[in-house]
Amino acid sequence: EVQLVESGGGLVQPGGSLRLSCAASGFTFSGYWMHWVRQAPGKGLVWVSRISDDGSSTSYADSVKGRFTISRDNAKNTLYLQMNSLRAEDTAVYYCARDFRYSSGWCFGDNWGQGTLVTVSS
Amino acid sequence: QTVVTQEPSLTVSPGGTVTLTCASSTGAVTSGYYPNWFQQKPGQGPRALIYSTSNKHSWTPARFSGSLLGGKAALTLSGVQPEDEAEYYCLLYYGGARVFGGGTKLTVL
């Protein structure tokens, strides 16, 4: 059974840092691109960042570029998001999601975890 | 900055048919944008429905279908059920990046 378990959220002051983790199980983690997606309270889903299967390539939404860093440890089947210089508008539930290319297309987020809540407030 | 646009809200009667659309600020949506669709109910995480325009997951009810329509990605619900009331999001691929639409709140009334 595919499982994605996010952790590391919490309350942090503006300007602070937090590191999120996503523990993956039930599939060959190293074979999938991975993403972080967030959802502010009462708002829609927003794509945040992605990393290629081997970690060699990353992309970020403009809103987090230069502040957030995505990484992965394929030996530990774990995805990370280092969040620095946090702002109030970063307050959200953060989800990790897998993404894979098959013969004729791409499939995103076939499994979702429960998410981890990040609250940025003084 | 790329923007993906969905109808903010739609209302449909039980048993009816409704089509939700997903447009890109960069132009017509084609299969190369690999449209994905998700359903989210209050208090729950997202659930995947459709990938790469029209492919269903094993758990996707048959009444849901995906297509390209008039330069947009489309999600059609035929024979809508009360339990289909939810928020629906599309996702488009832009090279290495992904962009979600703002979501459509579907009311079944």
Side-chain angles (χ1 to χ4, degrees):
Chain A
E1 179 194 3
V2 172
Q3 279 202 315
L4 297 169
V5 180
E6 302 91 344
S7 62
L11 176 63
V12 60
Q13 292 188 339
S17 298
L18 214 53
R19 188 199 200 199
L20 305 184
S21 299
C22 167
S25 60
F27 65 102
T28 305
F29 181 69
S30 60
Y32 289 78
W33 285 25
M34 295 297 296
H35 300 255
W36 286 99
V37 174
R38 69 184 182 184
Q39 187 169 36
K43 302 296 185 181
L45 300 172
V46 175
W47 175 80
V48 172
S49 181
R50 69 90 184 162
I51 187 166
S52 59
D53 50 3
D54 63 359
S56 64
S57 173
T58 59
S59 292
Y60 298 91
D62 288 346
S63 59
V64 306
K65 202 172 294 183
R67 300 188 299 123
F68 289 11
T69 301
I70 190 172
S71 62
R72 64 191 297 161
D73 185 335
N74 284 345
K76 295 183 177 180
N77 291 340
T78 303
L79 174 72
Y80 302 101
L81 185 67
Q82 178 66 44
M83 304 186 296
N84 299 331
S85 302
L86 282 162
R87 307 166 180 167
E89 55 264 36
D90 296 318
T91 295
V93 174
Y94 285 74
Y95 298 97
C96 62
R98 69 177 190 171
D99 190 7
F100 63 94
R101 185 178 183 96
Y102 61 101
S103 58
S104 57
W106 283 85
C107 179
F108 185 102
D110 57 345
N111 287 272
W112 295 74
Q114 81 292 344
T116 187
L117 176 62
V118 173
T119 303
V120 184
S121 174
S122 55
Chain B
Q1 181 177 340
T2 302
V3 176
V4 176
T5 302
Q6 299 181 243
E7 297 86 359
S9 64
L10 291 170
T11 300
V12 61
S13 300
T17 296
V18 64
T19 297
L20 289 63
T21 67
C22 175
S24 172
S25 62
T26 61
V29 176
T30 65
S31 58
Y33 286 82
Y34 308 108
N36 282 237
W37 290 91
F38 303 87
Q39 179 191 65
Q40 188 176 33
K41 296 182 178 180
Q44 298 182 15
R47 182 175 78 137
L49 294 174
I50 300 288
Y51 62 97
S52 288
T53 303
S54 58
N55 296 279
K56 298 180 186 181
H57 292 279
S58 59
W59 54 83
T60 304
R63 60 184 179 276
F64 290 83
S65 63
S67 64
L68 296 176
L69 198 63
K72 301 178 183 180
L75 176 70
T76 299
L77 288 70
S78 303
V80 171
Q81 301 297 307
E83 60 264 31
D84 297 333
E85 182 163 295
E87 193 85 21
Y88 291 84
Y89 296 93
C90 66
L91 173 83
L92 299 181
Y93 285 53
Y94 295 88
R98 313 286 182 256
V99 180
F100 281 96
T104 295
K105 180 174 175 57
L106 182 66
T107 300
V108 181
L109 205 55

Coordinates of all heavy atoms in Angstrom, one line a residue, chain A residues 1 18-19 21 33 37 41 43-44 47 49-50 62 65 74-75 82 87 89 91-92 94 97 105 108-109 113-115:
Chain A
E1 N 0.8 -1.2 0.0 CA 0.0 0.0 0.0 C 0.9 1.3 0.0 O 1.8 1.4 0.8 CB -0.9 0.0 1.2 CG -1.8 1.2 1.3 CD -2.4 1.4 2.7 OE1 -2.1 0.5 3.6 OE2 -3.2 2.3 2.9
L18 N 11.8 26.2 9.1 CA 11.1 24.9 9.5 C 11.5 23.9 8.4 O 11.7 24.3 7.2 CB 9.6 25.1 9.5 CG 8.8 24.2 10.5 CD1 9.3 24.4 11.9 CD2 7.3 24.7 10.4
R19 N 11.7 22.6 8.8 CA 12.0 21.6 7.8 C 10.9 20.5 7.9 O 10.7 19.9 8.9 CB 13.3 20.9 8.1 CG 13.8 20.0 7.1 CD 14.9 19.0 7.6 NE 15.7 18.4 6.6 CZ 16.4 17.3 6.8 NH1 16.4 16.7 8.0 NH2 17.2 16.8 5.8
S21 N 9.2 16.9 6.5 CA 9.6 15.6 5.9 C 8.4 14.9 5.4 O 7.3 15.1 5.8 CB 10.3 14.8 7.0 OG 11.4 15.4 7.5
W33 N 9.3 11.3 -9.4 CA 9.4 12.7 -9.1 C 8.5 12.9 -7.9 O 7.5 12.2 -7.7 CB 9.0 13.5 -10.2 CG 9.9 13.6 -11.4 CD1 10.9 12.7 -11.7 CD2 10.0 14.7 -12.3 NE1 11.5 13.1 -12.9 CE2 11.1 14.3 -13.2 CE3 9.4 15.9 -12.5 CZ2 11.4 15.2 -14.3 CZ3 9.7 16.7 -13.5 CH2 10.8 16.4 -14.4
V37 N 2.9 20.4 -2.2 CA 1.7 21.2 -2.5 C 1.2 21.7 -1.2 O 1.3 21.1 -0.2 CB 0.6 20.3 -3.2 CG1 -0.7 21.0 -3.4 CG2 1.2 19.7 -4.5
P41 N -5.6 27.9 4.7 CA -6.9 27.7 5.3 C -8.0 28.3 4.4 O -8.0 29.5 4.1 CB -6.8 28.4 6.7 CG -5.4 28.4 7.0 CD -4.6 28.5 5.7
K43 N -8.5 28.0 1.3 CA -8.1 28.4 0.0 C -7.8 27.1 -0.8 O -8.0 26.0 -0.4 CB -6.8 29.3 0.1 CG -7.0 30.5 0.9 CD -8.0 31.5 0.2 CE -8.0 32.8 1.0 NZ -9.0 33.7 0.4
G44 N -7.4 27.3 -2.1 CA -7.1 26.2 -3.0 C -5.8 25.6 -2.9 O -4.9 26.0 -2.1
W47 N 0.7 24.5 -6.0 CA 2.0 23.7 -6.2 C 3.1 24.6 -5.7 O 3.2 25.8 -5.9 CB 2.2 23.4 -7.7 CG 3.5 22.8 -8.0 CD1 3.8 21.5 -7.9 CD2 4.6 23.4 -8.5 NE1 5.1 21.2 -8.2 CE2 5.6 22.4 -8.6 CE3 5.0 24.7 -8.8 CZ2 6.9 22.7 -9.1 CZ3 6.3 25.0 -9.3 CH2 7.2 24.0 -9.4
S49 N 6.8 23.0 -5.1 CA 8.1 22.6 -5.6 C 8.1 21.2 -6.0 O 7.2 20.4 -5.6 CB 9.1 22.8 -4.4 OG 10.4 22.5 -4.9
R50 N 9.1 20.8 -6.9 CA 9.3 19.4 -7.3 C 10.7 19.1 -7.4 O 11.6 19.9 -7.5 CB 8.6 19.1 -8.6 CG 9.2 19.8 -9.8 CD 10.2 19.0 -10.5 NE 10.9 19.7 -11.6 CZ 12.0 19.4 -12.2 NH1 12.7 18.3 -11.8 NH2 12.5 20.1 -13.1
D62 N 7.2 30.7 -7.9 CA 7.8 32.0 -7.7 C 7.7 32.5 -6.3 O 8.6 33.2 -5.8 CB 7.2 33.1 -8.7 CG 7.6 32.8 -10.1 OD1 8.6 32.1 -10.4 OD2 7.0 33.4 -11.0
K65 N 10.6 30.7 -4.3 CA 11.9 30.7 -4.9 C 12.9 31.5 -4.0 O 12.6 32.6 -3.7 CB 11.9 31.1 -6.3 CG 13.0 30.6 -7.2 CD 12.8 31.0 -8.6 CE 11.6 30.3 -9.2 NZ 11.4 30.6 -10.7
N74 N 17.0 9.1 -1.1 CA 16.4 7.9 -1.6 C 16.7 6.7 -0.8 O 16.0 5.7 -0.8 CB 16.8 7.7 -3.1 CG 16.1 8.6 -4.0 OD1 15.1 9.2 -3.7 ND2 16.6 8.7 -5.3
A75 N 17.8 6.7 -0.1 CA 18.2 5.6 0.8 C 17.2 5.5 2.0 O 17.0 4.4 2.6 CB 19.6 5.8 1.3
Q82 N 13.0 22.4 3.1 CA 13.6 23.3 4.1 C 12.9 24.7 3.7 O 13.1 25.2 2.6 CB 15.1 23.4 3.9 CG 15.8 24.4 4.8 CD 15.6 24.1 6.3 OE1 15.8 22.9 6.6 NE2 15.4 25.1 7.1
R87 N 7.0 33.6 6.0 CA 6.0 34.7 6.1 C 4.7 34.2 6.5 O 4.3 33.0 6.4 CB 6.0 35.4 4.7 CG 7.3 35.7 4.1 CD 7.1 36.0 2.6 NE 8.4 36.4 1.9 CZ 8.6 36.5 0.6 NH1 7.5 36.2 -0.2 NH2 9.7 36.8 0.1
E89 N 2.0 34.5 5.0 CA 1.3 33.9 3.8 C 1.8 32.5 3.5 O 1.2 31.8 2.6 CB 1.4 34.8 2.6 CG 2.9 35.2 2.2 CD 3.3 36.5 2.7 OE1 2.9 36.9 3.9 OE2 4.0 37.2 2.0
T91 N 1.5 30.2 5.7 CA 0.7 29.4 6.6 C -0.2 28.5 5.7 O -1.0 29.0 4.9 CB -0.2 30.3 7.5 OG1 0.7 31.0 8.4 CG2 -1.2 29.5 8.3
A92 N -0.2 27.2 5.9 CA -0.9 26.3 5.1 C -0.7 24.9 5.6 O 0.2 24.6 6.4 CB -0.4 26.4 3.6
Y94 N 0.7 21.5 4.3 CA 1.7 21.1 3.3 C 1.5 19.6 3.0 O 1.6 18.8 3.9 CB 3.1 21.5 3.7 CG 3.4 22.9 3.6 CD1 2.8 23.8 4.5 CD2 4.2 23.4 2.5 CE1 3.1 25.2 4.3 CE2 4.4 24.8 2.4 CZ 3.9 25.7 3.3 OH 4.1 27.0 3.2
A97 N 3.4 14.8 -2.7 CA 2.7 14.0 -3.7 C 3.7 13.4 -4.7 O 4.8 14.0 -5.0 CB 1.7 14.9 -4.5
G105 N 2.0 9.6 -21.0 CA 1.6 10.8 -20.2 C 2.2 10.8 -18.8 O 3.2 10.1 -18.5
F108 N -0.2 12.6 -11.7 CA 0.2 13.3 -10.5 C -0.7 13.0 -9.3 O -1.9 12.9 -9.4 CB 0.1 14.8 -10.8 CG 0.6 15.7 -9.7 CD1 1.8 16.4 -9.8 CD2 -0.2 16.0 -8.6 CE1 2.3 17.2 -8.8 CE2 0.3 16.9 -7.6 CZ 1.5 17.5 -7.7
G109 N -0.1 12.8 -8.1 CA -0.9 12.8 -6.9 C -1.9 11.7 -6.8 O -3.0 12.0 -6.4
G113 N -1.1 12.2 1.5 CA -1.0 12.0 2.9 C -2.0 12.9 3.6 O -2.9 13.5 2.9
Q114 N -1.9 13.0 4.9 CA -2.8 13.8 5.7 C -2.4 15.3 5.7 O -3.1 16.2 6.1 CB -3.0 13.3 7.1 CG -1.9 13.7 8.1 CD -0.5 13.0 7.7 OE1 -0.4 12.1 7.0 NE2 0.5 13.6 8.3
G115 N -1.1 15.5 5.3 CA -0.6 16.9 5.3 C 0.0 17.2 6.7 O -0.3 16.6 7.7

